[in-house]
Amino acid sequence: LSIYKEENNYNTYTQPDGHYADNAANDEEGASSDATEGHDDEDEIYEGEYQGVPAYNEGKTKDGQVALGQPVSDSVKSRKELENERQADEEELAQQYELIMQECGHGRFQWQLFFVLGLALMSDGVEVFVVGFVLPSAETDMCVPNSGAGWLGSIVYLGMMFGAFFWGGLSDKVGRKQCLLISMSVNGFFAFLSSFVQGYSMFLFCRMVSGFGIGGAVPIVFSYFAEVLAREKRGEHLSWLCMFWMIGGIYASAMAWAIIPHYGWSFSMGSAYQFHSWRVFVVVCALPCVSAVVALTFMPESPRFFLETGKHDEAWMVLKHIHDTNMRARGEPERVFTVNRIKVPKQLDELVEMQNESANPVLKIWLTFMRCFNHPVKDNTTKLAAVWFTLSFGYYGLSVWFPDVIKHLQADEYASRVKIHNNERIEDFTFNFTLENQIHRNGAFMNDRFIGMKFKVVTFIDSSFVNCYFEDVSSVGSIFKNCTFVDSFFYNTDIDDNKLKSSKVINSSFHHNKTGCQMTFDDDYSAYWVYFVNFLGTLAVLPGNIISALLMDKIGRLSMLGGSMVLSGISCFFLWFGTSESMMIFMLCLYNGLSISAWNSLDVVTAELYPTDRRGTGFGFCNAICKLAAVLGNLIFGSLVGITKAIPILLASAVLVGGGLVGLRLPDTRANVLM
């Protein structure tokens, strides 16, 4: 199919005066043409500044036109006829656009956009990992009761779910770049703000809105980048783009490992405002998002989106910019962009829908979403939703289950080393060192001094403290049950009513008590270990990313998608035999390495299966299903930690294998042009 094929009623560009002119003789008196006339609404063609496209004007007439070559008015055509014409235009544009992108080449422009969109995708990966790393510290720092624990993870995913659907749909109406800029700005602002708020409720709200903003990153980034890639480059380079999500995870893991355990990095403003190291970590994790927003302002809108919405002038300028940027980088600045005619599909929204329906953008998003369930994409939407749900449910479910299982293994091993002291009596002794992992029953402490020391996971039961002095004492994870304090003095300690369970305080005083829930990571091996394990698990994705990028266009998207999910499900089953930390960590790395190919393939297939006018909406819907599955996976798998291994393992294996089999039934998009 020639990209320059013309119908006989097409208008031609007359070179002498630079205006459009009609082929047929104009029999109206005083007829003339200006720069905005000379083309009909049935078939729009963009004329560029370069001339070299021959015109086919043999005097023939087209079906459906009057004898003089004038087109039949759209007002007398049925909606079905208009839709059929648009479908034909889209098919012709898809073939033409593919050849245009081949002429533009793959070079500096695509690599510039690659790194800019990569920063946006990296921000999404950071947002997902921030939740898990911040959760324990934030809940401790803000004195969150057990009933409120865990809300942070769920509410962020819910925000991302609604954000994916909203921003993905909006990008089909107002543009990829514009929506991505706004959504990333929302994410960056509220992520930064969340590091300063003190109340847990306000912190939850900020992280939810931050998640709502970043929810638009994945559907828009892949739609945007796919639309500036030629067919033979699309699978490979979309897979390379996926690496930035892994880089985001590595970045978050490394920053958590380097920042959060350093309790000394914190500072306070008075007694009420505490800025601990985990808040520094939140600020640092907002930097990729800020960088993406700044860099994105220098990039153009997707030319494919411009063409889809009838903005042929803007589209041609962007395509010429892509061509010239790549040619200059190749050392061929003299090479001319020869495209001067680009097909533009009939704009049904303007001709029909806007006359009958409200221009409300939310309604337009909903109508576009409903079109994702129309023929011929209905079956694809259903299958994609199933694959996204199963892959996400297994991945995020196991992601919350793995660290918690390791924590339980560590806790069991830690508890096995507890030291128990019964009926001890200590008088006139000064404690200036750490007491850790101990239980004291029926103890008597007389005239003792506790100065500049720490109680770390220490429990006192039925013990008495008479005429004791406490100064600069922290009691992380420690409690006093049924204890009695007589004539004792407390100065600058964190011992309060929450740690005095059913205890009596007689003739004792508290001065300059530390406010809030105190937290410390000093000598906390487990904190370092958890972050290091997550770092290893994320790093294990690298080989799978490289392999999937190199083989995506060779063995096909579907083979990689189905095979990766099935192998991931099988690897889950072997978790049954994991009885040690080292075995669980190895299985975590193996699972992550196998599953990443499925994620990459699914991103590519989803971007290629939807036509341009529904690409953002369809991708956003699938990503919203992904986040819904993440919420369910967190709740279900989290509730099973420490109870049973069989159900999480079998459930994850079953859904991954089932999703992989469904993925194999999707149409192969390797040879597709972007509709």
Side-chain angles (χ1 to χ4, degrees):
L1 177 63
S2 171
I3 66 173
Y4 304 122
K5 179 182 179 181
E6 302 182 19
E7 300 294 346
N8 295 315
N9 64 303
Y10 283 5
N11 305 310
T12 61
Y13 183 80
T14 57
Q15 298 184 25
D17 57 7
H19 297 324
Y20 291 95
D22 200 334
N23 294 332
N26 195 331
D27 56 0
E28 302 289 339
E29 65 261 18
S32 62
S33 175
D34 61 334
T36 62
E37 296 176 344
H39 64 285
D40 55 62
D41 290 329
E42 179 186 13
D43 288 305
E44 295 184 71
I45 304 174
Y46 175 75
E47 302 282 0
E49 64 181 283
Y50 299 110
Q51 307 306 311
V53 181
Y56 300 91
N57 300 297
E58 316 303 326
K60 300 177 183 178
T61 61
K62 183 181 177 180
D63 293 342
Q65 293 185 326
V66 295
L68 293 180
Q70 300 296 325
V72 176
S73 172
D74 287 318
S75 61
V76 300
K77 296 181 181 179
S78 68
R79 175 61 183 267
K80 184 175 182 180
E81 289 177 316
L82 294 173
E83 289 178 342
N84 289 338
E85 290 179 7
R86 178 178 173 84
Q87 179 66 24
D89 289 348
E90 287 177 339
E91 292 175 358
E92 183 175 343
L93 171 60
Q95 298 289 342
Q96 181 184 2
Y97 189 79
E98 178 63 34
L99 294 176
I100 292 174
M101 291 312 304
Q102 291 178 9
E103 178 173 342
C104 290
H106 187 93
R108 176 178 293 176
F109 176 85
Q110 281 84 358
W111 285 113
Q112 289 174 344
L113 187 61
F114 173 81
F115 286 107
V116 173
L117 296 181
L119 285 172
L121 194 60
M122 177 180 173
S123 301
D124 182 85
V126 169
E127 187 76 19
V128 170
F129 281 88
V130 163
V131 174
F133 294 146
V134 163
L135 192 59
S137 303
E139 290 175 345
T140 301
D141 189 21
M142 297 180 180
C143 306
V144 179
N146 290 333
S147 59
W151 267 103
L152 178 59
S154 298
I155 205 166
V156 170
Y157 284 129
L158 286 173
M160 296 174 77
M161 179 182 72
F162 288 108
F165 182 79
F166 176 79
W167 297 113
L170 195 63
S171 70
D172 284 333
K173 299 302 177 185
V174 303
R176 316 301 192 207
K177 174 187 172 180
Q178 188 74 7
C179 278
L180 189 57
L181 266 175
I182 299 173
S183 65
M184 296 297 292
S185 298
V186 170
N187 169 250
F189 176 78
F190 282 93
F192 184 77
L193 182 62
S194 69
S195 67
F196 294 95
V197 299
Q198 291 291 292
Y200 192 60
S201 298
M202 190 62 185
F203 182 76
L204 284 177
F205 173 77
C206 288
R207 296 312 302 187
M208 180 186 69
V209 181
S210 174
F212 177 79
I214 200 62
V218 172
I220 299 177
V221 161
F222 284 100
S223 299
Y224 193 172
F225 197 48
E227 291 168 357
V228 296
L229 294 173
R231 175 173 52 196
E232 66 271 10
K233 298 286 187 179
R234 202 161 53 235
E236 177 184 351
H237 288 272
L238 285 176
S239 298
W240 288 125
L241 185 64
C242 293
M243 291 187 66
F244 279 93
W245 198 92
M246 175 206 68
I247 294 172
I250 293 175
Y251 175 81
S253 301
M255 291 301 101
W257 190 19
I259 296 174
I260 295 180
H262 293 280
Y263 183 74
W265 289 20
S266 64
F267 66 89
S268 60
M269 298 179 182
S271 60
Y273 190 87
Q274 303 288 329
F275 197 91
H276 293 301
S277 56
W278 69 267
R279 296 181 183 274
V280 178
F281 167 70
V282 172
V283 172
V284 170
C285 285
L287 296 181
C289 178
V290 175
S291 302
V293 170
V294 173
L296 193 60
T297 58
F298 298 98
M299 303 307 298
E301 179 58 83
S302 163
R304 189 66 174 84
F305 169 80
F306 276 147
L307 290 173
E308 198 67 27
T309 54
K311 298 179 180 179
H312 42 73
D313 294 337
E314 294 88 339
W316 187 87
M317 292 300 293
V318 174
L319 288 169
K320 183 177 183 302
H321 170 68
I322 295 174
H323 174 274
D324 293 349
T325 300
N326 290 341
M327 293 306 110
R328 283 194 301 268
R330 290 183 183 180
E332 303 176 17
E334 73 285 351
R335 189 167 179 176
V336 174
F337 183 51
T338 61
V339 176
N340 66 346
R341 300 168 186 263
I342 306 177
K343 190 76 169 181
V344 177
K346 185 179 296 298
Q347 301 303 302
L348 295 181
D349 285 348
E350 296 178 5
L351 297 175
V352 180
E353 293 179 2
M354 294 303 291
Q355 301 173 5
N356 304 322
E357 296 163 353
S358 167
N360 187 320
V362 176
L363 178 59
K364 293 176 70 176
I365 292 173
W366 178 255
L367 292 173
T368 305
F369 166 66
M370 295 306 296
R371 291 178 61 210
C372 292
F373 291 91
N374 292 343
H375 181 78
V377 297
K378 177 181 178 180
D379 290 342
N380 294 340
T381 299
T382 304
K383 293 174 184 176
L384 281 172
V387 178
W388 275 95
F389 184 90
T390 53
L391 181 58
S392 177
F393 183 81
Y395 178 82
Y396 287 104
L398 288 174
S399 293
V400 72
W401 186 71
F402 268 125
D404 283 347
V405 166
I406 292 176
K407 288 179 183 178
H408 273 267
L409 290 173
Q410 289 179 336
D412 291 342
E413 195 273 336
Y414 188 76
S416 68
R417 294 186 283 109
V418 66
K419 296 179 180 178
I420 301 176
H421 303 270
N422 294 312
N423 303 314
E424 60 184 337
R425 183 180 180 89
I426 302 176
E427 298 183 32
D428 300 314
F429 186 80
T430 298
F431 292 87
N432 55 5
F433 48 86
T434 298
L435 297 180
E436 180 179 359
N437 196 18
Q438 299 179 7
I439 298 176
H440 297 261
R441 289 194 180 96
N442 299 315
F445 299 87
M446 311 289 292
N447 302 316
D448 293 324
R449 297 168 61 86
F450 300 84
I451 300 177
M453 57 88 61
K454 180 192 306 180
F455 294 116
K456 185 177 179 181
V457 194
V458 178
T459 302
F460 293 91
I461 304 174
D462 298 323
S463 298
S464 62
F465 298 82
V466 180
N467 196 26
C468 291
Y469 181 82
F470 298 82
E471 179 181 349
D472 294 329
V473 174
S474 64
S475 53
V476 178
S478 301
I479 56 175
F480 300 82
K481 293 182 179 179
N482 299 320
C483 294
T484 303
F485 295 85
V486 180
D487 297 326
S488 295
F489 184 86
F490 296 82
Y491 181 85
N492 193 31
T493 73
D494 63 353
I495 300 174
D496 55 17
D497 292 339
N498 292 324
K499 297 179 180 179
L500 301 177
K501 305 292 186 182
S502 303
S503 297
K504 296 179 182 180
V505 179
I506 303 172
N507 197 26
S508 299
S509 58
F510 294 80
H511 298 272
H512 297 285
N513 244 35
K514 298 177 183 178
T515 59
C517 298
Q518 304 302 311
M519 51 187 298
T520 177
F521 289 94
D522 294 345
D523 304 318
D524 192 347
Y525 170 77
S526 62
Y528 283 98
W529 185 242
V530 169
Y531 300 137
F532 181 65
V533 167
N534 278 276
F535 178 80
L536 287 178
T538 309
L539 196 61
V541 169
L542 180 60
N545 244 317
I546 296 174
I547 292 172
S548 64
L550 295 177
L551 300 181
M552 185 69 69
D553 291 317
K554 293 181 173 61
I555 68 174
R557 288 87 158 114
L558 301 187
S559 299
M560 189 165 292
L561 173 62
S564 176
M565 291 187 70
V566 170
L567 290 176
S568 299
I570 294 174
S571 71
C572 285
F573 181 76
F574 287 97
L575 288 171
W576 203 313
F577 306 99
T579 56
S580 64
E581 284 186 51
S582 57
M583 175 64 75
M584 298 298 289
I585 293 170
F586 171 77
M587 296 307 301
L588 168 66
C589 295
L590 178 62
Y591 170 77
N592 285 350
L594 290 172
S595 64
I596 191 60
S597 296
W599 284 109
N600 294 359
S601 305
L602 192 55
D603 288 329
V604 174
V605 169
T606 306
E608 293 178 331
L609 275 181
Y610 285 104
T612 303
D613 61 342
R614 282 163 279 179
R615 184 168 296 120
T617 304
F619 210 130
F621 168 68
C622 290
N623 204 247
I625 293 295
C626 167
K627 296 306 183 288
L628 176 62
V631 173
L632 296 177
N634 272 270
L635 295 175
I636 294 174
F637 283 75
S639 64
L640 296 172
V641 172
I643 299 176
T644 176
K645 287 176 62 177
I647 296 178
I649 292 172
L650 294 178
L651 187 59
S653 298
V655 297
L656 287 169
V657 172
L661 296 177
V662 173
L664 290 173
R665 300 183 63 85
L666 287 165
D668 190 0
T669 59
R670 190 171 12 170
N672 286 9
V673 293
L674 284 182
M675 289 292 295

